């Protein structure tokens, strides 16, 4: 591995094999800052996988009752960890800090309009207890499902923690999803309550969350008895008597003391719906103890979490990142968590950097799509602010292109901050492949090496490990880990099929392809299934196709991803209409109509960027849509594939927009 001088200009290093050693200023204060310390960690993990995790679980978690059994693999691929222990996650995030951190700031919040709020651990504890009691008053108890559809305000975290406190299972639905998407998630989980707000501020607008809730519930969601409504904007909303209750009214009769419910390690903490390659989104079910442990150890290893940090992860609580690295991990460690409600570009592209300056952010974690958008806006935005409080930068959600990595490193981190590129998934619960920043040199575009205790490999079609450097294959995890998903809510068969069947239950199959270089560094190459990654958001091509064909005018649709400089991938749809095909395969007005339609069915993030109309789709004689061919056409590549098996070869001209 060659190590290069970080003072080189971007241009000159673009053509080298780049590797960045941990910056010396960072290393001085890092918790793990020697090869020996890291080797000892890896050694202990490889000596005995179970003992390694058991001792960490005892060290990091405050148990109500200690566990006797570390791992139960008798019903593989269903695994149970620490399963006869009892604990409460909210207790671990709040109560245990009251002795020595009661007055420490737990949350600093800034709204899009600049309003700032601070909550100490003592205040957060009481707020969580009160809302937990309000849930109980409304008949919500252990095991009940509660859907959250909230803006990024402290109450979102308070509501999640309150559910955890009483053992209710939360399912957060991203506020950008439509009423229809919300409805299907509420119904799948058979939620007893919904927690929402009269709106949230984003992009200078009010997001009408309550109105979407009402629409979702107008024709279904029979399981919902109560809708809690936070007053955030004061916007005019409808309140349904007997069902809807304002948050501030609900907590009035509630005490601010609520003893935690002691729960089994395997009690489901939450469901989180995510897209797969087939059918409707799946409710990924996570555990309590194993999940909590994952968030804690990775916060320490990857973010080098320290008591003095002011930590900001920009992810919304609607995604897994907003669960593990906003609502749980940082609080379990008693850190100061910063939350921001709005868009990165309000009032201008300097907002994130101003927030970093104003709140003295030390650790900053965001997505490559945000980095690319802010890079495009120009250096004058970050240059206008003092970013000297930053000591560590993180990236998540999609591969980060070296150009964006180098900009992040140079312009934001001033070459003083290590960049941790973290590979993981909703299913893995916490980081799986990521650098330990005080020791491991980073390479732009690589998430580096698997963390201790994570047995990761790249395998070929037959499941044999690929030892040869730089040869791509399936990314798999060979041993169970405490923070892995437990099942898919209500569809265990799909759990077994999606993640385990490919290699006969031997490995967890991530759905990504990857290669490992000569230094053992991992490079994620993309999905192997029909899942797209648009701005770091996961979307199933089938979901978008179903949304399109639900429109009266559409007979058939095929959706593929196309590389996009800003969003990573962009959605490209081929549509066959019931009526006549527009001349040249383009109809701007209809495209706008279908884009709005998909927004309404799923959410604006699922809108196709481009739609091309054809008389039919390229299919093999057995009727399979030739997606690889469509992907090549969408990307403007020359077609090298054999197209002789096409039912209608002449359609190629239309699909390429030549007719
Ligand atoms: O394809 C990988 C990509 O995002 C997928 C997981 O998406 P989701 O469950 O929504 O979770 C996103 C946040 C953890 C993965 O299968 N992905 C995630 N992080 C990276 C990544 N691809 C490359 N590099 C990453 N750091």
């Amino acid at each position: 591995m060659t190590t290069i001088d970080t003072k080189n200009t971007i241009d000159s290093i673009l053509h080298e094999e780049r590797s960045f050693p941990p910056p010396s200023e960072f290393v001085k204060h890092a918790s793990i800052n020697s090869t020996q310390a890291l080797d000892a960690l890896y050694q202990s993990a490889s000596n005995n996988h179970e003992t390694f995790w058991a001792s960490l679980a005892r060290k990091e978690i405050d148990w109500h009752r200690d566990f006797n059994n570390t791992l139960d693999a008798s019903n593989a691929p269903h695994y149970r960890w620490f399963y006869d222990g009892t604990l409460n996650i909210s207790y671990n995030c709040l109560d245990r800090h009251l002795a020595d951190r009661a007055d420490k700031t737990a949350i600093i919040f800034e709204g899009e309009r600049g309003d700032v709020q601070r909550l100490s651990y003592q205040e957060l504890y009481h707020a969580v207890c009160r809302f937990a009691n309000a849930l109980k008053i409304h008949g919500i108890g252990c095991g009940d499902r509660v859907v959250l559809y909230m803006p990024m305000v402290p109450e979102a975290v308070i509501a999640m923690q309150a559910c955890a406190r009483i053992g209710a299972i939360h399912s957060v639905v991203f506020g950008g999803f439509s009423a229809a998407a919300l409805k299907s998630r509420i119904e799948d989980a058979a939620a007893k309550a919904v927690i929402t707000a009269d709106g949230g501020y984003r992009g200078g607008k009010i997001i009408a969350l309550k109105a979407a809730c009402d629409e979702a519930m107008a024709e279904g969601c029979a399981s919902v008895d109560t809708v809690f409504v936070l007053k955030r904007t004061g916007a005019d909303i409808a309140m349904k008597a007997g069902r809807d209750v304002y948050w501030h009214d609900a907590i009035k009769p509630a005490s601010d003391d609520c003893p935690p419910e002691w729960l089994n390690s395997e009690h489901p903490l939450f469901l989180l719906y995510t897209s797969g390659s087939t059918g409707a989104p799946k409710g990924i079910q996570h555990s309590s103890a194993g999940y909590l442990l994952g968030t804690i150890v990775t916060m320490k290893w990857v973010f080098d979490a320290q008591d003095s940090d002011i930590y900001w992860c920009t992810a919304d609580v609607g995604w897994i990142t907003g669960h593990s690295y906003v609502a749980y991990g940082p609080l379990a460690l008693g850190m100061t968590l910063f939350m921001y409600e709005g868009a990165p570009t309000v009032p201008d592209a300097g907002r994130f950097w101003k927030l970093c300056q104003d709140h003295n952010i030390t650790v900053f974690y965001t997505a490559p799509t945000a980095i690319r958008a802010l890079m495009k806006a120009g250096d004058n935005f970050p240059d206008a602010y003092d970013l000297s409080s930053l000591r560590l930068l993180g990236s998540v959600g999609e591969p980060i292109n070296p150009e964006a990595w180098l900009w992040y490193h140079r312009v934001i981190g001033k070459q003083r901050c290590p960049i941790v590129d973290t590979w993981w998934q909703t299913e893995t619960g916490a980081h799986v492949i990521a650098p330990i920043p005080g020791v491991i040199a980073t390479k732009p575009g690589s998430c580096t090496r698997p963390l201790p205790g994570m047995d990761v490999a790249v395998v070929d079609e037959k499941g044999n490990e690929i030892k040869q450097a730089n040869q791509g294959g399936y990314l798999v995890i060979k041993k169970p880990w405490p923070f892995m998903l437990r099942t898919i809510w209500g569809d265990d068969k799909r759990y077994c099929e999606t993640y385990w069947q490919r290699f006969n239950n031997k490995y967890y199959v991530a759905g990504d392809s990857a290669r490992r270089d000569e230094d053992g560094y991992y490079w994620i190459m993309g999905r192997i299934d029909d899942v797209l990654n648009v701005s770091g958001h996961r979307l199933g091509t089938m979901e978008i196709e179903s949304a399109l064909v639900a429109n009266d005018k559409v007979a058939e649709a095929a959706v593929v991803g196309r590389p996009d400089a800003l969003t990573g991938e962009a959605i490209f749809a081929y549509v066959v209409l019931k009526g006549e095909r527009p001349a040249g395969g383009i109809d701007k007005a209809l495209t706008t109509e279908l884009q709005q339609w998909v927004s309404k069915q799923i959410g604006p993030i699922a809108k196709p960027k481009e739609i091309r109309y054809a008389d039919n789709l390229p299919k093999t004689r057995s009727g399979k849509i030739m997606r690889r061919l469509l992907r090549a056409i969408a990307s403007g590549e020359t077609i090298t594939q054999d197209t002789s098996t096409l039912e209608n070869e002449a359609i190629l001209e239309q699909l390429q927009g030549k007719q």
Side-chain angles (χ1 to χ4, degrees):
M1 192 196 304
T2 43
T3 299
I4 63 119
D5 175 5
T6 52
K7 285 193 191 75
N8 278 348
T9 64
I10 300 283
D11 281 351
S12 67
I13 54 184
L14 264 174
H15 306 287
E16 295 189 31
E17 193 203 300
R18 289 147 288 164
S19 169
F20 294 79
S24 54
E25 213 179 307
F26 177 86
V27 174
K28 251 190 266 164
H29 305 286
S31 307
I32 305 175
N33 60 4
S34 71
T35 317
Q36 292 90 313
L38 184 57
D39 286 349
L41 205 56
Y42 278 113
Q43 195 55 53
S44 136
S46 67
N47 286 349
N48 189 322
H49 189 66
E50 286 182 42
T51 315
F52 173 74
W53 286 116
S55 62
L56 280 172
R58 291 207 169 88
K59 181 169 159 242
E60 302 294 355
I61 292 175
D62 280 6
W63 294 89
H64 182 63
R65 191 182 70 213
D66 190 17
F67 56 92
N68 288 306
N69 295 289
T70 301
L71 172 64
D72 171 19
S74 59
N75 190 27
H78 301 91
Y79 297 95
R80 299 195 295 176
W81 283 89
F82 322 123
Y83 70 94
D84 54 350
T86 59
L87 79 165
N88 182 280
I89 304 262
S90 154
Y91 177 91
N92 274 274
C93 291
L94 301 167
D95 309 41
R96 70 162 159 175
H97 304 311
L98 296 183
D100 51 5
R101 289 191 182 88
D103 295 328
K104 180 175 175 176
T105 304
I107 298 181
I108 308 173
F109 165 76
E110 184 165 324
E112 191 172 78
R113 296 166 315 152
D115 46 316
V116 174
Q117 196 190 335
R118 282 188 172 75
L119 284 165
S120 67
Y121 269 93
Q122 185 79 49
E123 289 165 333
L124 182 62
Y125 164 80
H126 285 306
V128 168
C129 284
R130 274 191 96 172
F131 194 67
N133 280 325
L135 290 172
K136 284 205 228 170
I137 291 169
H138 286 269
I140 293 136
C142 192
D144 288 336
R145 273 81 58 208
V146 176
V147 163
L148 272 73
Y149 190 57
M150 302 273 287
M152 266 304 277
V153 292
E155 285 82 355
V157 173
I158 292 169
M160 291 163 84
Q161 288 281 348
C163 288
R165 196 159 189 91
I166 65 169
I169 304 167
H170 62 67
S171 170
V172 187
V173 177
F174 173 55
F177 278 125
S178 68
L182 174 64
K183 177 173 178 263
S184 70
R185 285 157 174 78
I186 292 173
E187 289 185 337
D188 190 76
K192 199 164 178 182
V194 174
I195 308 171
T196 188
D198 62 355
Y201 296 101
R202 195 166 167 101
K205 288 189 281 221
I206 290 179
I207 308 295
L209 297 165
K210 179 62 167 63
C213 261
D214 292 343
E215 198 184 324
M217 264 166 285
E219 295 157 24
C221 305
S223 57
V224 176
D225 296 329
T226 314
V227 177
F228 296 90
V229 184
L230 177 77
K231 202 170 206 156
R232 166 74 184 134
T233 63
D236 240 355
I237 52 161
M239 292 290 283
K240 187 173 170 189
R243 185 195 68 185
D244 300 352
V245 55
Y246 273 113
W247 176 297
H248 57 264
D249 289 331
I251 59 172
K252 261 182 211 154
S255 143
D256 64 4
D257 228 349
C258 175
E261 190 84 25
W262 300 115
L263 303 161
N264 185 279
S265 294
E266 285 295 316
H267 181 78
L269 174 64
F270 64 86
L271 312 178
L272 185 59
Y273 285 81
T274 189
S275 296
S277 48
T278 53
K282 44 197 180 183
I284 303 298
Q285 180 182 317
H286 275 287
S287 72
S288 290
Y291 173 78
L292 179 69
L293 181 63
T295 68
I296 294 175
V297 295
T298 54
M299 287 284 315
K300 287 191 167 182
W301 293 340
V302 181
F303 293 143
D304 186 45
Q306 302 203 358
D307 210 20
S308 53
D309 274 323
I310 301 178
Y311 163 94
W312 181 18
C313 162
T314 67
D316 190 279
V317 288
W319 311 113
I320 189 70
T321 312
H323 283 59
S324 307
Y325 300 108
V326 177
Y328 292 110
L331 295 178
L333 288 175
M335 295 172 86
T336 297
L337 166 71
F338 175 71
M339 287 176 77
Y340 170 59
E341 175 188 33
T345 47
V346 174
D348 60 40
R351 186 62 181 270
F352 270 12
W353 318 127
K354 182 172 188 318
L355 290 168
C356 285
Q357 169 192 275
D358 292 354
H359 298 286
N360 296 306
I361 304 299
T362 57
V363 174
F364 178 73
Y365 188 35
T366 197
T369 190
I371 299 167
R372 285 193 294 267
L374 298 175
M375 173 173 83
K376 198 170 159 218
D379 292 7
N380 51 324
F381 287 105
D383 286 351
Y385 301 101
D386 175 6
L387 299 177
S388 59
S389 59
L390 290 171
R391 66 179 191 94
L392 180 101
L393 303 173
S395 170
V396 61
E398 53 179 316
I400 178 164
N401 51 311
E403 193 195 355
W405 194 103
L406 292 164
W407 182 81
Y408 201 27
H409 173 68
R410 180 176 56 90
V411 179
I412 306 305
K414 314 288 182 210
Q415 304 179 16
R416 292 180 298 102
C417 306
I419 294 182
V420 290
D421 178 353
T422 59
W423 179 88
W424 60 297
Q425 310 174 294
T426 305
E427 292 88 340
T428 68
H431 302 155
V432 173
I433 311 176
I436 307 277
V439 183
I440 296 187
T442 50
K443 299 183 188 185
S446 167
C447 44
T448 74
R449 288 165 52 184
L451 292 171
M454 296 307 308
D455 202 350
V456 176
V458 178
V459 301
D460 65 17
E461 289 287 335
K462 294 201 175 98
N464 296 321
E465 216 165 318
I466 299 175
K467 300 273 187 211
Q468 201 186 330
N470 295 317
Q471 200 167 322
Y474 294 82
L475 184 65
V476 298
I477 306 179
K478 296 197 298 185
K479 284 197 190 116
W481 64 105
F483 33 107
M484 64 198 296
L485 78 163
R486 294 308 194 251
T487 186
I488 292 174
W489 180 259
D491 199 350
D492 191 58
K493 190 165 164 269
R494 193 174 173 195
Y495 164 77
C496 298
E497 285 169 4
T498 310
Y499 305 108
W500 300 96
Q501 208 178 52
R502 182 71 184 75
F503 299 113
N504 291 327
N505 294 351
K506 214 169 139 197
Y507 307 136
Y508 166 83
V509 182
D512 281 352
S513 59
R515 67 180 168 89
R516 209 173 36 204
D517 71 14
E518 43 291 316
D519 297 317
Y521 278 43
Y522 282 74
W523 300 77
I524 305 298
M525 294 158 68
R527 298 286 307 186
I528 49 171
D529 51 14
D530 292 321
V531 170
L532 306 181
N533 191 329
V534 181
S535 298
H537 299 145
R538 218 165 121 172
L539 293 159
T541 49
M542 288 261 294
E543 252 179 292
I544 307 170
E545 287 164 7
S546 314
L548 282 166
V549 295
N551 185 288
D552 275 349
K553 294 181 182 160
V554 176
E556 233 187 329
V559 166
V560 296
R562 181 183 70 185
D564 185 279
L566 213 56
T567 58
E569 263 186 310
I571 303 166
F572 195 106
Y574 297 89
V575 165
V576 179
L577 295 172
K578 286 180 184 160
E580 220 161 276
R581 172 179 179 258
I586 292 178
D587 181 337
K588 280 201 178 137
L590 181 60
T591 294
T592 309
E593 187 185 322
L594 291 178
Q595 285 170 331
Q596 280 164 359
W597 172 264
V598 175
S599 281
K600 217 167 146 41
Q601 298 284 313
I602 306 174
I605 51 170
K607 257 192 332 206
K609 188 165 182 187
E610 200 172 326
I611 301 181
R612 195 165 289 166
Y613 302 90
D615 285 328
N616 48 49
L617 296 173
K619 288 184 190 159
T620 59
R621 293 209 166 88
S622 60
K624 251 184 105 189
I625 295 177
M626 295 178 78
R627 287 175 182 283
R628 263 198 314 135
L629 180 66
L630 289 176
R631 265 197 295 271
I633 296 173
S635 313
E637 290 166 19
T638 34
I639 299 166
T640 51
Q641 290 166 254
D642 175 18
T643 54
S644 59
T645 53
L646 264 182
E647 207 182 21
N648 173 10
E649 223 180 331
I651 201 69
L652 281 178
E653 294 277 296
Q654 277 191 9
L655 296 166
Q656 288 171 297
K658 291 185 186 160
Q659 274 182 24

